[in-house]
Amino acid sequence: MATTLDQGLAPRLCIEEVRIAGHSQPIMLRSYRPAPDGTVLPIVLYFHGGGFTHGTLDDAEIAAATIARDTQAWVISVDYSLAPAFPFPAAPEDAYRAAQWAVANARAQRADPHRIGVAGHDAGGNLATCLAAIARDRGDIEISAQALLAPLLDPSMTRLADERKVTGSDMGMCECARSYRAYLPNASQRLHPYAAPLESRRLAGLPPALIASAEHDLLHIEAEKYAGELIAAGVPTEVTRHCKASHKGLATHPGALADVVTFFRKRLALVRPSGARGNKNLND
């Protein structure tokens, strides 16, 4: 059952929470919806950071509310299951169930189930692109765009920048290693395409991507490497590196979030047939 929350951060948004069945346990979703004006909204699923082991819906508040308000989209922030209590594949399967719920409830929210974006920071970036792959492979959900902020993509940790050359980093190798050990306790899982996107040889057919990296982040190399792999696979991809930004700070970085909004407004725009006028009718 949905419960209306304090609007503090985003007074022009209707913010509600709903609990749904997840892969291993019930999970909470937080919905951000602009005030209705007759427009049919695109949908964006957002996944918070925290290295697969921590993080909350509150950590995603700024990003989710900004995307909802400035893109004019129905944003669903997903409180996915965390390791080590719930290791892989609980989190990506929770993400998939959240996407299924969004599609099933789109009409009631005046949203378009055929215009879905996914976004996330840190571990949430991993889940966003893995959800895009799952949706492509299972074929029942159409995802049109993915935006990844300082994503965790490489459990092998072989593409990290040199710690001696990256100043001001707030994400160390040891912290990263602990996160992957908790999330992927079996070594074989660290090559699974739904856990290690950078190892996947099946990137073709993924939706257009925006990848944002941070100057002061050991992981900027793997993020930019993934962008190159997507481009090589024929996926339209934009990549930006934000100067003076850190790994954890990228989740609320104004420039990065502005890029995400611009990207989603472009990729999730309603395409009308030639000569059509007015808004799409949900009853058509």
Side-chain angles (χ1 to χ4, degrees):
M1 182 175 180
T3 303
T4 302
L5 302 178
D6 179 14
Q7 302 289 300
L9 178 67
R12 290 176 289 170
L13 298 174
C14 175
I15 305 176
E16 300 176 319
E17 286 189 352
V18 60
R19 187 179 298 273
I20 69 168
H23 176 70
S24 302
Q25 62 167 347
I27 59 171
M28 191 70 73
L29 308 179
R30 186 174 292 174
S31 162
Y32 300 78
R33 185 167 47 80
D37 63 359
T39 301
V40 179
L41 302 173
I43 300 169
V44 176
L45 291 118
Y46 187 86
F47 303 93
H48 64 74
F52 303 104
T53 62
H54 58 281
T56 69
L57 293 174
D58 290 342
D59 296 330
E61 183 86 358
I62 292 175
T66 299
I67 294 169
R69 183 185 61 239
D70 296 347
T71 308
Q72 286 295 287
W74 180 32
V75 174
I76 301 155
S77 183
V78 183
D79 196 20
Y80 53 88
S81 299
L82 299 175
F86 300 98
F88 178 83
E93 291 294 348
D94 284 349
Y96 184 69
R97 282 161 174 74
Q100 289 180 308
W101 180 88
V103 169
N105 288 273
R107 185 178 295 270
Q109 298 290 334
R110 292 197 60 82
D112 187 346
H114 302 292
R115 291 186 291 144
I116 301 176
V118 293
H121 168 251
D122 180 82
N126 176 295
L127 296 178
T129 196
C130 290
L131 172 58
I134 294 170
R136 175 202 61 191
D137 295 344
R138 296 181 184 175
D140 60 344
I141 296 172
E142 179 183 350
I143 293 179
S144 303
Q146 53 177 324
L148 318 179
L149 301 172
L152 294 177
L153 302 167
D154 179 25
S156 74
M157 295 177 55
T158 58
R159 301 170 178 91
L160 294 176
D162 188 336
E163 280 190 300
R164 297 167 296 181
K165 297 180 180 179
V166 177
T167 61
S169 175
D170 55 7
M171 177 70 163
M173 292 181 64
C174 291
E175 180 182 355
C176 193
R178 285 194 299 270
S179 295
Y180 280 126
R181 283 198 300 268
Y183 180 55
L184 304 168
N186 300 321
S188 61
Q189 295 172 327
R190 297 171 193 176
L191 294 175
H192 196 291
Y194 297 164
L198 200 44
E199 300 292 349
S200 176
R201 299 299 91 194
R202 296 182 58 252
L203 300 179
L206 290 179
L210 169 68
I211 298 178
S213 67
E215 179 184 11
H216 303 298
D217 183 11
L218 295 177
L219 279 70
H220 75 261
I221 290 178
E222 68 181 63
E224 293 161 12
K225 172 69 173 174
Y226 188 55
E229 295 290 336
L230 289 173
I231 291 169
V235 177
T237 302
E238 303 171 30
V239 59
T240 59
R241 185 189 297 180
H242 293 272
C243 297
K244 300 181 181 179
S246 67
H247 177 86
K248 295 176 182 177
L250 204 61
T252 56
H253 188 279
L257 294 180
D259 286 349
V260 171
V261 167
T262 299
F263 173 74
F264 279 142
R265 291 181 72 170
K266 176 176 64 177
R267 292 295 179 180
L268 301 180
L270 177 61
V271 179
R272 297 184 179 89
S274 178
R277 299 178 62 186
N279 293 318
K280 181 178 178 181
N281 189 330
L282 284 177
N283 296 316
D284 288 348

